Amino acid sequence: MIRFSWVQFRVQAAVAAVALAAFAVILAATGPHLFHLYDTSGVATCQARADCVSLASSLVSRIPGFYTTMYFLGTGILFAVPLLIGAFWGAPLITREFETGTVRLAWTQGVTRGRWLTAKLAVVGLGAMATAGLFSLLLTWWAGPLDTATALKENNSITFIRLGFVLFATRDITPIGYAAFAFALGVTAGILIRRTIPAMAVTLAVFAAVQIAWPVWVRAHLITPAQTVVALTAADTANLAQGPGNTVMVNPPSLPRLSGSWILNFRTIEGAGHAFNVATVPACVARNANVGVCQAALGPLHLRDVIAYQPASRFWAFQWYETGIFVALAVALAGFCCWWIQRRRLS
Amino acid sequence: MIEFQLDETSGVATYLQLVQQVHQALRLGMLEPGEQLPTAQQVVARLAINPNTVLKAYRDLEREGLVRARPGRGTFVTGSLPRTDPDTQARYLEAMTDWLRSARAAGLCPDDIEAIYRTAFRACFAEGAA
Amino acid sequence: MTAVIETTGLGKQYGRKWALRDCALAIPGGHVVGLVGPNGAGKTTLLHMAVGLVTPTCGTIRVLGEPPAAGPALLERVGFVAQDTPVYPRMSVGGHLRFGAWLNPDWDSGLARRRIEQVGLDPRQRAGSLSGGERAQLALTLALAKRPELLVLDEPVASLDPLARRDFLRALMEAVAEHGLSVVLSSHLVGDLERVCDYLVVLVASRVRLAGEVAALRASHYRLSGPRRDPGTLPASQEIIEESHTDKQSTFLVRTDGPVHDPAWTVTPVGLEDLVLAYMSRADDAAARRPRLGVVS
């Protein structure tokens, strides 16, 4: 049954192999030059913060447009790979046999349905994980320098740090977990819905929903966030921002020790520890308040920011947790499918 | 070796057609004692019929004492159909012809005669199935 | 002879509609069983339940003494050729044989190869480009090469031309002669039955109307034709299956265990095809309660 599953999977595997090969060729051709640019830019060895930012900016501006396009395209591909695997490898795995009627041939041979499904799940599931893993391996290797430089240039904004939404999902090992999960999701949708197009649609919708909701609802809380308190200087208080409700907060300054960290939330407190209420500072709420007067009024309040964050050093812990959870979910879905298919018949 | 035919339109059961064809062959001398009948496999390959039908026909023939099945070797003709001697046949042919002439003289038409004949024949030989 | 398929009170309901109802059968082994009925009568449902593709709504079914598809051992002993003979279109003929070998422990690859050669199929040809007759032969090979005790076929020849149909039945009968397997074969075409089947089940409107050995059925059914008669005057031992009347003549198709003595009747045997049609239309009439042709009241 393993051999037969491989025979049925051959065409899809070939498509994946060709895509991987093309990807590898382009990245291999452009990689060395990119690394050369990075090595000679001085970004790797820079010490002072201001230096690093300017060096990074100059590096990024020197990178040819094609490479930048490849960078974004590559990241896009890594987002797409698990989705496509779920829709095109997962959903049709079983529905194709239902729709063509070959399930009546497959289920009347000398193997039980459980073994039939397990073999298919194992062969294609492992293929899915390998494919996603290889794509990720290639991109992570190639995009490393550019990732570092961009993060520096953009001042560690959430979009560009490794722990951020974009890079976390498209580098290192998380795509492997996503591919396994998307695949299992597709197979489950196929087994329950029994028709290919609806199953593909449901797989895409559910997977996308999970990917969107996951980082904020689950990932942020996988490890208890760290906390730090930052004293705000007069210069910092110029950087006011609207907080939840109608409160006013002070944006935390960028700190070297928080570089690359994922800031989850913060609140501004004053002196004794109460939440800062700007309404108590008439100089700042007056209709035509003067910035200088407002800042002077805030000084004696000893404003501080309490920041909850995930340190950059936790990156690999998060990667393993996330991959592990998604693979576990995939296995659970696979188990459900095997149980379901033994229990229920054609109708 | 005899080759069987099948007439699907005749309404006669398949196995009976095989039996009748063996009878016919014996009567005409196309089959002689000691000759082998086609195996079930050979008949099936030619006619695409149920092999049990062939076996049933051969069993009936064996009951009539005309053939004998030798396990592993085939079915062979052992007997022959009792041939009534030609004189007896001639006598009855003459009696029949006389009867027909007198029936015709009495005014019976051919269809009447045939109906009478069939009724009498049936009653005499009490046909059950087919 | 032990029963290969035994059912008691078997039924299958889809939504509000019963595809099969009150099915009680004891199909003996060593026979070629014909399952006949119009389209939608429930034949496919019954066969799918026998091979474990469908679960019954009520009642029980046992195949070779065990619940259908009870495990790999039973799956091996029962071969199935589904309606429209599904195959994997992009896989070659040889690939299908390998598929059979991988999925069936007791696969007879010599038999499979011989049959493919005999039929004249090219092992490298893709199954999707085979003709209907060739596909049917491939499906039959796949089912036979696992050496089953029971072979179940769902309308295998319905969409084949007459020559392909004859070839298929010939191949099937040769396999029966060679291996002595039991066969259950469904069809909505009554014509081929007499050649091939020695046990008959007639299924109409989701119920079994008739079941028995062909020889016994022929021996117990007669066509009686004679002067016009009220059906009530027939003895109770003669069950009327079909009747038609003109102003002077009545014809009855009856089922009876004893001989027919009444001299007023012209008694003729009933061909299998007429017999099946009579039972099929009887069920139909009972359901529809419509007047039959030829009745002059």
Side-chain angles (χ1 to χ4, degrees), chain A residues 222-279:
Chain A
L222 280 176
I223 308 178
T224 317
Q227 256 197 13
T228 188
V229 180
V230 178
L232 297 168
T233 65
D236 294 330
T237 55
N239 201 354
L240 292 173
Q242 191 81 24
N246 239 332
T247 60
V248 171
M249 318 261 264
V250 181
N251 266 330
S254 66
L255 299 162
R257 62 188 163 94
L258 288 183
S259 168
S261 297
W262 177 12
I263 309 244
L264 298 174
N265 57 61
F266 64 90
R267 57 199 171 87
T268 310
I269 58 174
E270 58 171 271
H274 322 295
F276 167 57
N277 189 352
V278 76

Side-chain angles (χ1 to χ4, degrees), chain C residues 22-34:
Chain C
D22 291 332
C23 177
L25 291 171
I27 294 180
H31 286 68
V32 176
V33 180

Side-chain angles (χ1 to χ4, degrees), chain B residues 17-18 20 44 47 54 61 70 72 75 90-93 100 118 120 126-127:
Chain B
Q17 289 189 36
L18 300 182
Q20 287 170 352
V44 165
L47 295 181
V54 181
L61 289 165
R70 302 226 172 89
T75 309
R91 263 203 336 272
Y92 277 86
L93 180 59
L100 280 169
R118 286 201 181 284
E127 266 193 336

Side-chain angles (χ1 to χ4, degrees), chain C:
Chain C
M1 194 151 281
T2 52
V4 287
I5 299 182
E6 247 183 297
T7 74
T8 47
L10 189 67
K12 178 68 188 175
Q13 190 178 22
Y14 290 106
R16 281 251 210 95
K17 187 170 169 295
W18 285 90
L20 190 69
R21 212 157 174 180
D22 291 332
C23 177
L25 291 171
I27 294 180
H31 286 68
V32 176
V33 180
L35 179 60
V36 198
N39 286 322
K43 306 190 295 292
T44 299
T45 308
L46 176 57
L47 295 182
H48 278 189
M49 284 197 273
V51 296
L53 287 173
V54 168
T55 22
T57 308
C58 58
T60 62
I61 174 167
R62 288 194 113 61
V63 175
L64 298 175
E66 304 192 36
L74 188 66
L75 283 166
E76 265 277 290
R77 292 162 73 197
V78 179
F80 182 57
V81 176
Q83 199 164 11
D84 298 329
T85 58
V87 291
Y88 292 102
R90 285 206 305 263
M91 197 157 71
S92 68
V93 168
H96 278 84
L97 297 191
R98 279 192 294 279
F99 159 82
W102 289 335
L103 266 63
N104 295 288
D106 283 336
W107 184 257
D108 186 345
S109 48
L111 174 72
R113 249 181 307 109
R114 270 196 312 276
R115 285 214 77 242
I116 294 296
E117 265 174 53
Q118 204 179 351
V119 177
L121 292 179
D122 176 8
R124 281 166 320 205
Q125 191 178 359
R126 293 205 160 173
S129 60
L130 294 175
S131 71
E134 291 172 324
R135 231 176 48 229
Q137 293 284 5
L138 174 61
L140 183 61
T141 305
L142 288 176
L144 286 175
K146 68 188 223 194
R147 301 302 215 112
E149 284 170 45
L150 168 66
L151 184 56
V152 178
L153 304 110
D154 189 358
E155 306 224 17
V157 295
S159 50
L160 300 184
D161 65 80
L163 186 60
R165 197 183 305 152
R166 180 55 57 86
D167 285 337
F168 184 90
L169 290 177
R170 177 179 298 119
L172 184 59
M173 291 300 105
E174 283 176 327
V176 173
E178 204 178 317
H179 308 299
L181 52 124
S182 309
V183 174
V184 176
L185 167 61
S186 83
S187 177
H188 66 273
L189 305 167
V190 185
D192 287 321
L193 285 183
E194 219 274 302
R195 282 182 109 82
V196 157
C197 300
D198 50 6
Y199 191 96
L200 201 62
V201 176
V202 177
L203 199 59
V204 185
S206 75
R207 285 181 200 269
V208 174
R209 308 291 173 174
L210 182 66
E213 304 240 359
V214 166
L217 293 177
R218 278 166 159 271
S220 58
H221 287 82
Y222 303 98
R223 185 171 276 118
L224 308 177
S225 138
R228 173 86 193 242
R229 213 136 115 166
D230 181 37
T233 61
L234 260 58
S237 64
Q238 291 172 359
E239 184 195 347
I240 298 173
I241 308 299
E242 193 177 56
E243 57 182 286
S244 72
H245 309 271
T246 63
D247 54 345
K248 289 268 178 38
Q249 188 192 20
S250 290
T251 307
F252 294 93
L253 199 159
V254 298
R255 177 184 196 162
T256 179
D257 288 325
V260 178
H261 291 301
D262 194 332
W265 289 125
T266 305
V267 182
T268 43
V270 186
L272 203 59
E273 189 161 348
D274 290 334
L275 186 61
V276 172
L277 290 173
Y279 273 89
M280 278 167 59
S281 66
R282 179 201 207 197
D284 228 12
D285 292 338
R289 266 176 235 291
R290 60 168 190 263
R292 293 182 294 279
L293 291 171
V295 175
V296 177
S297 49

Side-chain angles (χ1 to χ4, degrees), chain B residues 51-126:
Chain B
N52 290 334
T53 313
V54 181
L55 298 174
K56 183 171 158 78
Y58 285 8
R59 272 199 307 272
D60 271 16
L61 289 165
E62 193 167 6
R63 254 203 319 271
E64 289 175 13
L66 294 171
V67 306
R68 180 105 153 265
R70 302 226 172 89
R73 300 219 266 130
T75 309
F76 295 84
V77 180
T78 53
S80 49
L81 278 179
R83 301 244 195 109
T84 32
D85 95 277
D87 292 330
T88 317
Q89 286 193 354
R91 263 203 336 272
Y92 277 86
L93 180 59
E94 210 185 309
M96 186 73 171
T97 316
D98 287 341
W99 180 88
L100 280 169
R101 267 201 220 108
S102 76
R104 220 162 130 216
L108 293 166
C109 73
D111 286 341
D112 291 332
I113 294 172
E114 183 149 6
I116 292 171
Y117 166 75
R118 286 201 181 284
T119 312
F121 185 94
R122 227 189 353 261
C124 185
F125 291 101

Side-chain angles (χ1 to χ4, degrees), chain A residues 170-336:
Chain A
T170 57
R171 305 282 192 274
D172 297 293
I173 59 172
T174 47
I176 298 176
Y178 299 150
F181 173 69
F183 170 70
L185 195 58
V187 175
T188 310
I191 279 188
L192 296 177
I193 298 175
R194 286 166 193 241
R195 286 203 320 284
T196 311
I197 307 288
M200 284 168 69
V202 167
T203 306
L204 290 175
V206 173
F207 183 71
V210 168
Q211 288 294 79
I212 291 170
W214 185 268
V216 173
W217 286 9
V218 184
R219 190 189 301 156
H221 309 293
L222 280 176
I223 308 178
T224 317
Q227 256 197 13
T228 188
V229 180
V230 178
L232 297 168
T233 65
D236 294 330
T237 55
N239 201 354
L240 292 173
Q242 191 81 24
N246 239 332
T247 60
V248 171
M249 318 261 264
V250 181
N251 266 330
S254 66
L255 299 162
R257 62 188 163 94
L258 288 183
S259 168
S261 297
W262 177 12
I263 309 244
L264 298 174
N265 57 61
F266 64 90
R267 57 199 171 87
T268 310
I269 58 174
E270 58 171 271
H274 322 295
F276 167 57
N277 189 352
V278 76
T280 61
V281 185
C284 294
V285 295
R287 193 81 65 79
N288 41 0
N290 178 284
V291 172
V293 174
C294 174
Q295 274 187 282
L298 290 175
L301 290 178
H302 295 298
L303 292 179
R304 297 182 309 288
D305 266 342
V306 179
I307 304 174
Y309 69 107
Q310 299 286 6
S313 57
R314 289 183 182 175
F315 173 73
W316 274 106
F318 274 105
Q319 282 271 320
W320 283 108
Y321 276 137
E322 182 119 339
T323 307
I325 290 174
F326 275 91
V327 169
L329 284 174
V331 169
L333 281 173
F336 167 77

